[in-house]
Amino acid sequence: MFCTTERPMSPRLWLAVPFLFSAAVFGLMGSAGLITASWTTVPLSPVVSGAGVAVAAAVSGGVRWRRPWHRVWVRFPYLAAVLAAGVVVGAVEIPALVTTVVGLPVLLGLVFQSLVQTDESRPASDCR
């Protein structure tokens, strides 16, 4: 049996999901490049941007939309625009140190938030 929380996600947090996911992945890529000294820049990959959009699409069903029409008329155009922007900036190179400094704190914050929410949502008697 899985224990889940019934708290819906706010639209503002959902708008940040593709960027937070991409920043975390780029941070890992930058830190790997710094550790191995194999590269000094990290290209902004459309694949990573696409994965961020996929994550946002996957969690969009749990968003507390203000109006019913927002579910269709805000969700899909926003995801398409973020994906298009990811493809446009796909050739831009960012220094590995910058991606590491920005991305690793985002990754650690996401992991910490996930652990806190998991712990808070688990009732003592129902989930083990």
Side-chain angles (χ1 to χ4, degrees):
M1 173 159 133
F2 293 105
C3 300
T4 60
T5 180
E6 294 298 322
R7 293 180 287 184
M9 182 184 298
S10 75
R12 276 197 283 178
L13 176 61
W14 178 78
L15 291 172
V17 165
F19 301 104
L20 292 173
F21 179 85
S22 297
V25 171
F26 288 129
L28 288 174
M29 290 170 61
S31 63
L34 290 176
I35 290 171
T36 62
S38 60
W39 66 76
T40 58
T41 61
V42 175
L44 295 181
S45 169
V47 173
V48 175
S49 299
V53 168
V55 170
V59 299
S60 65
V63 176
R64 182 183 348 107
W65 299 102
R66 298 191 199 292
R67 304 274 186 261
W69 60 270
H70 288 172
R71 181 173 301 279
V72 174
W73 294 103
V74 172
R75 177 172 60 169
F76 296 120
Y78 175 73
L79 293 175
V82 172
L83 183 61
V87 170
V88 168
V89 299
V92 175
E93 301 256 341
I94 304 293
L97 183 60
V98 171
T99 60
T100 302
V101 167
V102 171
L104 287 183
V106 169
L107 179 65
L108 294 174
L110 291 173
V111 168
F112 178 73
Q113 181 66 26
S114 173
L115 292 173
V116 168
Q117 281 185 345
T118 301
D119 189 48
E120 286 178 353
S121 67
R122 184 173 302 186
S125 62
D126 294 340
C127 300
R128 297 194 191 261

